Coordinates of all heavy atoms in Angstrom, one line a residue:
M1 N -27.0 -0.1 10.4 CA -25.7 -0.5 10.9 C -24.8 0.7 11.1 O -24.9 1.7 10.4 CB -25.0 -1.4 9.9 CG -25.7 -2.7 9.7 SD -25.6 -3.7 11.2 CE -26.9 -4.8 10.9
T2 N -23.9 0.6 12.1 CA -22.9 1.6 12.3 C -21.5 1.0 12.2 O -21.3 -0.1 12.6 CB -23.1 2.2 13.7 OG1 -24.4 2.8 13.9 CG2 -22.0 3.3 14.0
Y3 N -20.6 1.7 11.6 CA -19.2 1.2 11.4 C -18.2 2.1 12.1 O -18.4 3.4 12.2 CB -18.9 1.2 9.9 CG -19.9 0.3 9.2 CD1 -21.1 0.8 8.7 CD2 -19.6 -1.1 9.1 CE1 -22.0 -0.1 8.0 CE2 -20.5 -1.9 8.4 CZ -21.7 -1.4 7.9 OH -22.6 -2.2 7.3
V4 N -17.1 1.5 12.6 CA -16.1 2.3 13.3 C -14.7 1.8 12.7 O -14.7 0.7 12.1 CB -16.1 2.1 14.8 CG1 -17.4 2.6 15.4 CG2 -15.9 0.6 15.2
I5 N -13.7 2.6 13.0 CA -12.3 2.2 12.6 C -11.5 2.0 13.8 O -11.4 2.9 14.6 CB -11.7 3.2 11.6 CG1 -12.6 3.4 10.4 CG2 -10.3 2.9 11.3 CD1 -12.1 4.5 9.4
L6 N -10.9 0.8 14.0 CA -10.0 0.5 15.1 C -8.6 0.7 14.6 O -8.3 0.1 13.6 CB -10.3 -0.9 15.6 CG -11.7 -1.2 16.0 CD1 -11.8 -2.7 16.5 CD2 -12.3 -0.3 17.1
T7 N -7.8 1.4 15.4 CA -6.4 1.7 15.0 C -5.4 1.0 15.9 O -5.6 0.9 17.1 CB -6.2 3.2 15.0 OG1 -7.1 3.9 14.2 CG2 -4.8 3.5 14.5
S8 N -4.3 0.5 15.3 CA -3.2 -0.1 16.1 C -1.9 0.4 15.5 O -1.8 0.5 14.3 CB -3.2 -1.6 16.0 OG -4.4 -2.1 16.6
K9 N -1.0 0.7 16.3 CA 0.4 1.1 15.9 C 1.4 0.2 16.7 O 1.5 0.4 17.9 CB 0.6 2.6 16.3 CG -0.2 3.6 15.4 CD 0.2 5.0 15.7 CE -0.6 5.9 14.7 NZ -0.1 7.3 14.8
P10 N 2.0 -0.7 15.9 CA 2.9 -1.6 16.6 C 4.0 -0.9 17.4 O 4.6 0.1 17.1 CB 3.6 -2.3 15.4 CG 2.6 -2.2 14.3 CD 1.9 -0.8 14.5
G11 N 4.1 -1.5 18.6 CA 5.1 -0.9 19.6 C 4.6 0.2 20.4 O 5.2 0.7 21.4
Q12 N 3.4 0.8 20.0 CA 2.8 1.9 20.7 C 1.5 1.4 21.4 O 1.4 1.5 22.6 CB 2.5 3.0 19.8 CG 3.8 3.7 19.3 CD 3.5 4.8 18.4 OE1 2.5 5.5 18.5 NE2 4.3 5.0 17.4
F13 N 0.5 1.0 20.6 CA -0.7 0.5 21.1 C -1.5 -0.4 20.1 O -1.2 -0.3 18.9 CB -1.7 1.6 21.6 CG -2.2 2.5 20.4 CD1 -3.4 2.2 19.8 CD2 -1.5 3.6 19.9 CE1 -3.8 2.9 18.7 CE2 -1.9 4.3 18.9 CZ -3.1 4.0 18.3
R14 N -2.4 -1.2 20.6 CA -3.2 -2.0 19.7 C -4.7 -1.9 20.2 O -4.9 -1.8 21.4 CB -2.7 -3.4 19.5 CG -2.9 -4.3 20.7 CD -2.4 -5.7 20.5 NE -2.6 -6.6 21.6 CZ -1.8 -6.7 22.6 NH1 -0.7 -6.0 22.7 NH2 -2.2 -7.5 23.6
T15 N -5.6 -1.9 19.3 CA -7.0 -1.9 19.7 C -7.6 -3.2 19.3 O -7.4 -3.7 18.2 CB -7.7 -0.7 18.9 OG1 -7.0 0.5 19.2 CG2 -9.2 -0.6 19.3
E16 N -8.3 -3.8 20.2 CA -8.9 -5.1 20.0 C -10.4 -5.1 20.0 O -11.0 -4.4 20.9 CB -8.4 -6.1 21.1 CG -6.9 -6.3 21.1 CD -6.5 -7.3 22.2 OE1 -7.3 -7.5 23.2 OE2 -5.4 -7.8 22.2
P17 N -11.0 -5.7 19.0 CA -12.5 -5.8 19.0 C -12.9 -6.6 20.2 O -12.2 -7.5 20.7 CB -12.8 -6.5 17.7 CG -11.6 -7.1 17.2 CD -10.4 -6.4 17.9
V18 N -14.1 -6.3 20.7 CA -14.7 -7.1 21.8 C -16.1 -7.6 21.4 O -16.5 -7.3 20.2 CB -14.9 -6.1 23.1 CG1 -13.5 -5.7 23.6 CG2 -15.7 -4.9 22.8
E19 N -16.8 -8.3 22.2 CA -18.1 -8.7 21.9 C -19.0 -7.5 21.6 O -19.0 -6.5 22.3 CB -18.7 -9.5 23.0 CG -20.0 -10.2 22.7 CD -20.5 -11.1 23.8 OE1 -19.7 -11.7 24.5 OE2 -21.8 -11.2 23.9
G20 N -19.7 -7.6 20.5 CA -20.5 -6.4 20.0 C -19.9 -5.6 18.9 O -20.4 -4.7 18.4
V21 N -18.6 -6.0 18.6 CA -17.9 -5.4 17.5 C -17.4 -6.5 16.5 O -16.7 -7.4 17.0 CB -16.7 -4.6 18.0 CG1 -15.8 -4.0 16.9 CG2 -17.1 -3.5 19.0
T22 N -17.8 -6.4 15.3 CA -17.4 -7.5 14.3 C -16.4 -6.9 13.3 O -16.8 -6.0 12.5 CB -18.6 -8.0 13.6 OG1 -19.6 -8.5 14.5 CG2 -18.3 -9.1 12.6
P23 N -15.2 -7.3 13.3 CA -14.2 -6.9 12.3 C -14.6 -7.3 10.9 O -15.0 -8.4 10.7 CB -12.9 -7.6 12.7 CG -13.1 -8.0 14.1 CD -14.6 -8.3 14.2
L24 N -14.5 -6.4 9.9 CA -14.9 -6.7 8.6 C -13.7 -6.7 7.6 O -13.6 -7.5 6.7 CB -16.0 -5.7 8.1 CG -17.2 -5.7 8.9 CD1 -18.1 -4.6 8.4 CD2 -17.9 -7.0 8.8
E25 N -12.9 -5.6 7.7 CA -11.7 -5.5 6.8 C -10.5 -4.9 7.6 O -10.7 -4.1 8.5 CB -12.1 -4.5 5.7 CG -13.2 -4.9 4.8 CD -13.6 -3.9 3.7 OE1 -13.1 -2.8 3.7 OE2 -14.5 -4.3 2.9
T26 N -9.3 -5.4 7.2 CA -8.1 -4.9 7.8 C -7.2 -4.3 6.7 O -7.1 -4.8 5.6 CB -7.4 -6.0 8.5 OG1 -8.3 -6.6 9.5 CG2 -6.1 -5.5 9.2
Y27 N -6.6 -3.1 7.1 CA -5.7 -2.4 6.1 C -4.4 -2.1 6.8 O -4.4 -1.7 8.0 CB -6.4 -1.1 5.7 CG -7.6 -1.3 4.9 CD1 -8.8 -1.4 5.5 CD2 -7.5 -1.2 3.5 CE1 -10.0 -1.6 4.7 CE2 -8.7 -1.4 2.7 CZ -9.9 -1.6 3.3 OH -11.0 -1.8 2.6
D28 N -3.3 -2.2 6.1 CA -2.0 -1.8 6.6 C -1.7 -0.4 6.0 O -1.9 -0.2 4.8 CB -0.9 -2.8 6.2 CG -1.1 -4.1 6.9 OD1 -1.4 -4.1 8.1 OD2 -0.9 -5.1 6.2
Y29 N -1.2 0.5 6.8 CA -0.9 1.8 6.4 C 0.6 2.0 6.4 O 1.3 1.6 7.4 CB -1.5 2.8 7.4 CG -1.2 4.3 7.2 CD1 -1.8 5.0 6.1 CD2 -0.2 4.9 8.0 CE1 -1.5 6.3 5.9 CE2 0.1 6.3 7.7 CZ -0.6 7.0 6.7 OH -0.3 8.3 6.5
A30 N 1.2 2.5 5.3 CA 2.7 2.7 5.2 C 3.0 4.2 4.9 O 2.3 4.8 4.1 CB 3.2 1.8 4.1
F31 N 4.0 4.6 5.6 CA 4.5 6.0 5.4 C 5.9 5.9 4.8 O 6.8 5.4 5.4 CB 4.5 6.7 6.8 CG 5.0 8.1 6.8 CD1 4.2 9.1 6.3 CD2 6.3 8.4 7.2 CE1 4.6 10.4 6.3 CE2 6.8 9.7 7.2 CZ 5.9 10.7 6.8
Y32 N 6.0 6.3 3.5 CA 7.3 6.2 2.8 C 7.8 4.8 2.9 O 9.0 4.5 3.2 CB 8.3 7.2 3.3 CG 8.0 8.6 2.8 CD1 7.1 9.4 3.6 CD2 8.4 9.1 1.6 CE1 6.8 10.7 3.1 CE2 8.1 10.4 1.2 CZ 7.3 11.2 1.9 OH 6.9 12.4 1.5
G33 N 6.9 3.8 2.6 CA 7.3 2.4 2.5 C 7.4 1.7 3.9 O 7.6 0.5 3.9
R34 N 7.3 2.4 5.0 CA 7.4 1.7 6.3 C 6.1 1.6 6.9 O 5.3 2.6 7.1 CB 8.3 2.6 7.2 CG 8.7 1.9 8.5 CD 9.7 2.7 9.3 NE 9.1 2.8 10.6 CZ 8.7 3.9 11.2 NH1 8.8 5.1 10.6 NH2 8.1 3.9 12.4
A35 N 5.7 0.3 7.2 CA 4.4 0.1 7.9 C 4.4 0.8 9.2 O 5.3 0.6 10.1 CB 4.2 -1.4 8.1
T36 N 3.4 1.6 9.4 CA 3.3 2.4 10.7 C 2.0 2.1 11.5 O 2.0 2.5 12.7 CB 3.5 3.9 10.5 OG1 2.4 4.3 9.5 CG2 4.8 4.2 9.9
A37 N 1.0 1.6 10.8 CA -0.3 1.4 11.5 C -1.1 0.3 10.8 O -0.8 0.0 9.6 CB -1.0 2.7 11.6
S38 N -2.1 -0.2 11.5 CA -3.1 -1.0 10.8 C -4.4 -0.5 11.3 O -4.6 0.0 12.4 CB -2.9 -2.5 11.2 OG -3.1 -2.7 12.5
F39 N -5.4 -0.7 10.4 CA -6.8 -0.2 10.7 C -7.7 -1.3 10.4 O -7.6 -2.1 9.4 CB -7.1 1.0 9.7 CG -6.2 2.2 9.9 CD1 -5.2 2.4 9.1 CD2 -6.4 3.0 11.0 CE1 -4.4 3.5 9.2 CE2 -5.6 4.1 11.1 CZ -4.6 4.4 10.3
V40 N -8.7 -1.5 11.3 CA -9.8 -2.5 11.1 C -11.1 -1.7 11.0 O -11.4 -1.0 11.9 CB -9.8 -3.5 12.3 CG1 -11.0 -4.4 12.1 CG2 -8.5 -4.3 12.4
I41 N -11.8 -1.9 9.9 CA -13.1 -1.4 9.8 C -14.0 -2.5 10.4 O -13.9 -3.7 10.1 CB -13.6 -1.2 8.4 CG1 -12.7 -0.1 7.8 CG2 -15.0 -0.7 8.3 CD1 -13.0 0.2 6.3
A42 N -14.8 -2.1 11.4 CA -15.7 -3.0 12.1 C -17.1 -2.5 12.2 O -17.4 -1.3 12.2 CB -15.1 -3.2 13.5
E43 N -18.0 -3.5 12.3 CA -19.4 -3.2 12.5 C -19.7 -3.1 14.0 O -19.3 -4.0 14.8 CB -20.2 -4.3 11.9 CG -21.7 -4.0 11.8 CD -22.4 -5.0 11.0 OE1 -22.1 -6.2 11.2 OE2 -23.2 -4.7 10.1
L44 N -20.3 -2.0 14.4 CA -20.6 -1.8 15.9 C -22.1 -2.2 16.1 O -23.0 -1.5 15.5 CB -20.4 -0.4 16.2 CG -20.6 0.0 17.7 CD1 -19.6 -0.7 18.6 CD2 -20.4 1.6 17.8
H45 N -22.3 -3.2 16.8 CA -23.7 -3.7 17.1 C -24.4 -3.1 18.3 O -25.6 -3.1 18.4 CB -23.6 -5.2 17.3 CG -23.1 -6.0 16.1 ND1 -23.7 -6.2 15.0 CD2 -21.8 -6.5 15.9 CE1 -23.0 -6.9 14.1 NE2 -21.8 -7.1 14.7
Q46 N -23.6 -2.6 19.2 CA -24.1 -2.0 20.4 C -23.0 -1.1 21.1 O -21.9 -1.2 20.7 CB -24.5 -3.1 21.4 CG -23.3 -4.0 21.8 CD -23.7 -5.3 22.4 OE1 -24.6 -5.9 22.0 NE2 -23.0 -5.7 23.5
A47 N -23.4 -0.4 22.0 CA -22.4 0.4 22.8 C -21.5 -0.5 23.6 O -22.0 -1.4 24.3 CB -23.1 1.4 23.7
V48 N -20.2 -0.4 23.4 CA -19.3 -1.3 24.1 C -18.1 -0.5 24.6 O -18.0 0.7 24.3 CB -18.7 -2.4 23.2 CG1 -19.9 -3.3 22.7 CG2 -18.0 -1.8 22.0
K49 N -17.2 -1.1 25.3 CA -15.9 -0.5 25.6 C -14.8 -1.4 24.9 O -14.7 -2.6 25.2 CB -15.7 -0.6 27.1 CG -16.6 0.4 27.9 CD -16.3 0.5 29.3 CE -17.2 1.5 30.0 NZ -17.0 1.6 31.4
V50 N -14.1 -0.8 23.9 CA -13.1 -1.5 23.2 C -11.8 -1.5 24.0 O -11.5 -0.6 24.8 CB -12.9 -0.9 21.8 CG1 -14.1 -1.0 20.9 CG2 -12.5 0.6 21.9
R51 N -11.0 -2.5 23.8 CA -9.8 -2.7 24.5 C -8.7 -2.0 23.8 O -8.4 -2.3 22.6 CB -9.4 -4.2 24.7 CG -10.3 -4.9 25.6 CD -10.2 -6.4 25.6 NE -8.8 -6.8 25.6 CZ -8.1 -7.3 26.7 NH1 -8.7 -7.4 27.8 NH2 -6.9 -7.7 26.6
V52 N -8.0 -1.1 24.4 CA -6.8 -0.4 23.8 C -5.7 -0.8 24.8 O -5.7 -0.4 25.9 CB -7.0 1.1 23.7 CG1 -5.8 1.8 23.1 CG2 -8.2 1.4 22.9
I53 N -4.7 -1.5 24.2 CA -3.6 -2.0 25.0 C -2.3 -1.1 24.7 O -1.9 -1.1 23.5 CB -3.3 -3.5 24.7 CG1 -4.5 -4.3 25.2 CG2 -2.1 -3.9 25.5 CD1 -5.5 -4.6 24.1
D54 N -1.8 -0.5 25.7 CA -0.6 0.3 25.6 C 0.6 -0.7 25.5 O 0.8 -1.4 26.5 CB -0.5 1.3 26.7 CG 0.7 2.1 26.7 OD1 1.6 2.0 25.8 OD2 0.9 3.0 27.6
E55 N 1.3 -0.7 24.4 CA 2.5 -1.6 24.3 C 3.8 -0.8 24.4 O 4.9 -1.4 24.3 CB 2.5 -2.2 22.8 CG 1.3 -3.0 22.5 CD 1.3 -3.5 21.1 OE1 1.9 -2.9 20.2 OE2 0.7 -4.6 20.9
S56 N 3.8 0.5 24.7 CA 5.0 1.3 24.8 C 6.0 0.8 25.8 O 7.2 1.1 25.8 CB 4.7 2.7 24.9 OG 4.0 3.0 26.1
G57 N 5.5 0.1 26.9 CA 6.4 -0.3 27.9 C 6.9 -1.7 27.8 O 7.5 -2.2 28.7
G58 N 6.6 -2.3 26.6 CA 7.0 -3.7 26.4 C 5.9 -4.7 26.9 O 5.0 -4.3 27.6
A59 N 6.1 -6.0 26.6 CA 5.1 -7.0 26.9 C 4.8 -7.1 28.4 O 3.7 -7.4 28.9 CB 5.5 -8.3 26.4
E60 N 5.9 -6.9 29.2 CA 5.7 -7.0 30.7 C 4.9 -5.9 31.3 O 4.4 -6.0 32.4 CB 7.1 -7.1 31.4 CG 8.0 -8.2 30.9 CD 8.7 -7.9 29.6 OE1 9.0 -6.8 29.3 OE2 8.8 -8.8 28.7
A61 N 4.9 -4.7 30.6 CA 4.3 -3.5 31.2 C 3.1 -3.0 30.4 O 2.8 -1.8 30.4 CB 5.4 -2.4 31.2
E62 N 2.4 -3.9 29.7 CA 1.2 -3.5 29.0 C 0.1 -3.0 29.9 O -0.1 -3.6 30.9 CB 0.7 -4.7 28.2 CG 1.5 -5.1 27.0 CD 0.9 -6.2 26.1 OE1 -0.1 -6.8 26.6 OE2 1.4 -6.4 25.0
T63 N -0.5 -1.9 29.5 CA -1.6 -1.4 30.2 C -2.8 -1.5 29.3 O -2.8 -1.1 28.1 CB -1.4 0.1 30.5 OG1 -0.1 0.2 31.2 CG2 -2.5 0.7 31.3
I64 N -3.9 -2.0 29.9 CA -5.2 -2.2 29.2 C -6.2 -1.1 29.6 O -6.4 -0.8 30.8 CB -5.8 -3.5 29.5 CG1 -4.9 -4.6 29.0 CG2 -7.2 -3.7 28.8 CD1 -5.3 -6.0 29.4
N65 N -6.7 -0.4 28.6 CA -7.7 0.7 28.8 C -8.9 0.2 28.1 O -8.9 -0.3 27.0 CB -7.2 2.0 28.2 CG -6.0 2.5 28.9 OD1 -6.0 2.9 30.0 ND2 -4.8 2.5 28.2
L66 N -10.1 0.5 28.7 CA -11.4 0.2 28.1 C -12.0 1.6 27.7 O -12.3 2.4 28.6 CB -12.3 -0.5 29.1 CG -11.7 -1.9 29.5 CD1 -12.6 -2.5 30.6 CD2 -11.6 -2.8 28.3
V67 N -12.1 1.8 26.4 CA -12.5 3.1 25.9 C -14.0 2.9 25.4 O -14.2 2.1 24.5 CB -11.6 3.5 24.7 CG1 -12.1 4.8 24.1 CG2 -10.2 3.6 25.2
P68 N -14.9 3.7 25.9 CA -16.3 3.6 25.4 C -16.4 3.9 23.9 O -15.7 4.8 23.4 CB -17.0 4.7 26.2 CG -16.2 4.9 27.4 CD -14.7 4.7 27.0
S69 N -17.2 3.1 23.2 CA -17.3 3.3 21.8 C -17.9 4.6 21.4 O -17.8 5.1 20.2 CB -18.2 2.1 21.2 OG -19.5 2.1 21.8
K70 N -18.5 5.3 22.3 CA -19.1 6.6 22.0 C -18.0 7.6 21.6 O -18.3 8.6 21.0 CB -19.9 7.2 23.1 CG -19.1 7.6 24.4 CD -20.1 8.1 25.5 CE -19.3 8.5 26.7 NZ -20.1 9.0 27.8
F71 N -16.7 7.3 21.9 CA -15.6 8.2 21.6 C -15.1 7.9 20.2 O -14.2 8.6 19.7 CB -14.5 8.2 22.6 CG -15.0 8.8 24.0 CD1 -15.1 8.0 25.1 CD2 -15.3 10.1 24.1 CE1 -15.5 8.5 26.3 CE2 -15.7 10.7 25.3 CZ -15.8 9.8 26.4
L72 N -15.5 6.8 19.6 CA -15.0 6.5 18.3 C -15.8 7.2 17.2 O -17.0 7.3 17.3 CB -15.1 4.9 18.0 CG -14.4 4.0 19.0 CD1 -14.7 2.6 18.7 CD2 -12.9 4.3 18.9
E73 N -15.1 7.6 16.1 CA -15.9 8.2 15.0 C -16.7 7.1 14.4 O -16.3 5.9 14.2 CB -14.9 8.7 14.0 CG -15.6 9.4 12.8 CD -14.6 10.1 11.9 OE1 -13.4 10.1 12.1 OE2 -15.1 10.8 11.0
R74 N -17.9 7.4 14.0 CA -18.9 6.4 13.5 C -19.2 6.8 12.0 O -19.2 8.0 11.6 CB -20.2 6.4 14.3 CG -19.9 5.9 15.7 CD -21.2 6.1 16.5 NE -20.8 5.8 17.9 CZ -21.6 5.0 18.7 NH1 -22.7 4.6 18.3 NH2 -21.2 4.8 19.9
F75 N -19.5 5.8 11.3 CA -19.8 5.9 9.9 C -21.1 5.2 9.6 O -21.3 4.1 10.1 CB -18.7 5.4 9.0 CG -17.4 6.0 9.3 CD1 -16.5 5.4 10.2 CD2 -17.0 7.2 8.7 CE1 -15.3 6.0 10.5 CE2 -15.8 7.8 9.0 CZ -15.0 7.2 9.9
D76 N -22.0 5.7 8.8 CA -23.3 5.1 8.5 C -23.2 4.0 7.5 O -24.1 3.1 7.5 CB -24.3 6.2 7.9 CG -24.7 7.2 9.0 OD1 -24.7 6.9 10.2 OD2 -24.9 8.3 8.6
T77 N -22.1 4.0 6.7 CA -22.0 2.9 5.7 C -20.5 2.4 5.7 O -19.6 3.1 6.1 CB -22.3 3.3 4.3 OG1 -21.4 4.3 3.9 CG2 -23.8 3.9 4.2
L78 N -20.4 1.2 5.2 CA -19.0 0.6 5.1 C -18.2 1.5 4.1 O -17.0 1.7 4.3 CB -19.1 -0.8 4.6 CG -17.9 -1.6 4.4 CD1 -17.0 -1.6 5.7 CD2 -18.2 -3.0 4.0
D79 N -18.9 1.9 3.0 CA -18.2 2.8 2.0 C -17.7 4.1 2.6 O -16.7 4.6 2.3 CB -19.1 3.1 0.8 CG -19.2 1.9 -0.1 OD1 -18.3 1.0 -0.1 OD2 -20.2 1.8 -0.8
A80 N -18.5 4.7 3.6 CA -18.1 5.9 4.2 C -16.8 5.7 5.1 O -15.9 6.5 5.1 CB -19.2 6.5 5.1
A81 N -16.7 4.5 5.7 CA -15.5 4.2 6.5 C -14.3 4.0 5.6 O -13.2 4.5 5.9 CB -15.8 2.9 7.4
R82 N -14.5 3.3 4.5 CA -13.5 3.1 3.5 C -13.0 4.5 2.9 O -11.8 4.7 2.8 CB -13.9 2.2 2.3 CG -14.2 0.8 2.7 CD -14.7 0.1 1.5 NE -15.0 -1.3 1.8 CZ -16.0 -2.0 1.3 NH1 -16.9 -1.4 0.5 NH2 -16.1 -3.3 1.6
A83 N -13.9 5.3 2.7 CA -13.6 6.7 2.1 C -12.7 7.4 3.2 O -11.8 8.1 2.8 CB -14.8 7.5 1.8
A84 N -13.1 7.3 4.4 CA -12.3 8.0 5.5 C -10.9 7.5 5.5 O -9.9 8.2 5.6 CB -12.9 7.8 6.8
L85 N -10.7 6.2 5.3 CA -9.3 5.6 5.3 C -8.6 6.0 4.1 O -7.4 6.4 4.1 CB -9.4 4.1 5.3 CG -9.6 3.5 6.7 CD1 -9.7 1.9 6.6 CD2 -8.6 3.9 7.7
R86 N -9.2 6.0 2.9 CA -8.6 6.5 1.7 C -8.1 8.0 1.8 O -7.0 8.3 1.4 CB -9.5 6.4 0.5 CG -9.6 5.0 -0.1 CD -10.3 4.9 -1.4 NE -11.7 5.5 -1.4 CZ -12.8 4.8 -1.1 NH1 -12.7 3.5 -0.8 NH2 -13.9 5.4 -1.1
N87 N -9.0 8.8 2.5 CA -8.6 10.2 2.7 C -7.4 10.3 3.6 O -6.5 11.1 3.3 CB -9.8 10.9 3.3 CG -9.5 12.4 3.4 OD1 -9.1 13.0 2.4 ND2 -9.8 13.0 4.5
L88 N -7.2 9.4 4.5 CA -6.1 9.4 5.4 C -4.8 9.1 4.6 O -3.7 9.6 4.9 CB -6.3 8.3 6.5 CG -5.1 8.0 7.4 CD1 -4.8 9.2 8.3 CD2 -5.3 6.8 8.2
A89 N -4.9 8.2 3.6 CA -3.8 7.8 2.9 C -3.5 8.6 1.7 O -2.8 8.2 0.7 CB -3.9 6.3 2.5
S90 N -4.0 9.8 1.6 CA -3.7 10.7 0.5 C -3.5 12.1 1.0 O -4.5 12.8 1.4 CB -4.8 10.7 -0.5 OG -6.0 11.1 0.0
F91 N -2.3 12.6 1.1 CA -2.0 13.9 1.6 C -0.9 14.5 0.6 O 0.3 14.2 0.7 CB -1.5 13.9 3.0 CG -1.3 15.3 3.6 CD1 -2.4 16.0 4.0 CD2 -0.1 15.8 3.7 CE1 -2.3 17.3 4.6 CE2 0.1 17.1 4.2 CZ -1.0 17.8 4.7
G92 N -1.3 15.3 -0.3 CA -0.4 16.0 -1.2 C 0.4 15.0 -2.0 O -0.1 14.0 -2.5
T93 N 1.7 15.2 -2.0 CA 2.6 14.3 -2.7 C 3.4 13.4 -1.8 O 4.3 12.7 -2.2 CB 3.7 15.2 -3.5 OG1 4.4 16.0 -2.6 CG2 3.0 16.1 -4.5
M94 N 2.9 13.2 -0.6 CA 3.6 12.3 0.4 C 3.4 10.9 -0.1 O 2.4 10.5 -0.7 CB 3.1 12.5 1.8 CG 3.4 13.9 2.3 SD 2.8 14.1 4.0 CE 4.0 13.3 4.9
D95 N 4.4 10.1 0.2 CA 4.4 8.6 -0.2 C 3.6 7.9 1.0 O 4.3 7.4 1.9 CB 5.8 8.1 -0.3 CG 5.8 6.6 -0.7 OD1 4.8 6.1 -1.1 OD2 7.0 6.1 -0.7
L96 N 2.3 7.8 0.8 CA 1.5 7.1 1.8 C 0.8 6.0 1.0 O 0.4 6.1 -0.1 CB 0.5 8.0 2.4 CG 1.0 9.3 3.0 CD1 -0.1 10.2 3.4 CD2 1.9 9.1 4.1
S97 N 0.5 4.8 1.7 CA -0.2 3.8 1.1 C -1.1 3.1 2.1 O -0.8 3.0 3.3 CB 0.7 2.8 0.4 OG 1.5 2.1 1.3
L98 N -2.2 2.5 1.6 CA -3.1 1.8 2.4 C -3.4 0.4 1.6 O -3.8 0.5 0.4 CB -4.4 2.6 2.5 CG -5.4 2.2 3.5 CD1 -4.8 2.2 4.9 CD2 -6.6 3.1 3.4
T99 N -3.1 -0.7 2.2 CA -3.2 -2.0 1.6 C -4.1 -2.8 2.3 O -3.9 -3.1 3.5 CB -1.8 -2.6 1.5 OG1 -0.9 -1.7 0.9 CG2 -1.8 -3.9 0.7
K100 N -5.1 -3.4 1.6 CA -6.1 -4.3 2.3 C -5.4 -5.6 2.4 O -4.8 -6.1 1.5 CB -7.3 -4.4 1.4 CG -8.4 -5.2 2.1 CD -9.7 -5.2 1.2 CE -10.8 -6.0 1.9 NZ -12.0 -6.0 1.0
R101 N -5.6 -6.2 3.6 CA -5.1 -7.6 3.9 C -6.0 -8.6 3.3 O -7.2 -8.5 3.4 CB -4.9 -7.8 5.4 CG -3.7 -7.2 5.9 CD -3.4 -7.8 7.3 NE -2.8 -6.8 8.1 CZ -2.8 -6.8 9.4 NH1 -3.4 -7.8 10.1 NH2 -2.3 -5.8 10.1

């Protein structure tokens, strides 16, 4: 199995799983107590194009991009993907947190 991390930042962009991508776990990321992103660890079953929707122009001006999965970082195990997220949420003495939904 291969695992990927899909990222969304409210008001900026959201990444949506498509057929061939199975979401497994979702995490909220906070920077000094403010939620700034969400991450979904997903199982990648085949090469796909994930939907990345640009939200920066508001709901009326959303732009949809199809990004080939070959550009996503891949992990051999679910634990490796979790470790990558934990690493993201620990930088020196900064107040960062990662909370599983």
Side-chain angles (χ1 to χ4, degrees):
M1 295 293 160
T2 300
Y3 301 90
V4 295
I5 299 173
L6 306 178
T7 305
S8 296
K9 291 188 175 187
Q12 295 180 30
F13 67 91
R14 72 180 183 275
T15 305
E16 297 179 343
V18 295
E19 189 174 328
V21 177
T22 303
L24 301 174
E25 299 178 353
T26 301
Y27 294 85
D28 292 320
Y29 177 77
F31 180 77
Y32 286 89
R34 192 176 125 245
T36 57
S38 66
F39 299 99
V40 174
I41 297 177
E43 190 173 44
L44 182 64
H45 302 282
Q46 63 197 41
V48 297
K49 291 186 178 180
V50 295
R51 291 170 45 102
V52 180
I53 296 95
D54 179 355
E55 299 177 331
S56 62
E60 303 79 34
E62 288 184 346
T63 302
I64 299 173
N65 296 292
L66 298 175
V67 178
S69 57
K70 69 180 180 181
F71 293 114
L72 301 175
E73 184 173 3
R74 296 173 188 222
F75 304 93
D76 292 331
T77 66
L78 183 55
D79 283 336
R82 289 177 181 142
L85 281 180
R86 281 193 303 272
N87 188 46
L88 172 71
S90 59
F91 187 78
T93 59
M94 295 181 81
D95 181 11
L96 309 173
S97 67
L98 194 62
T99 307
K100 186 175 179 181
R101 279 194 216 161

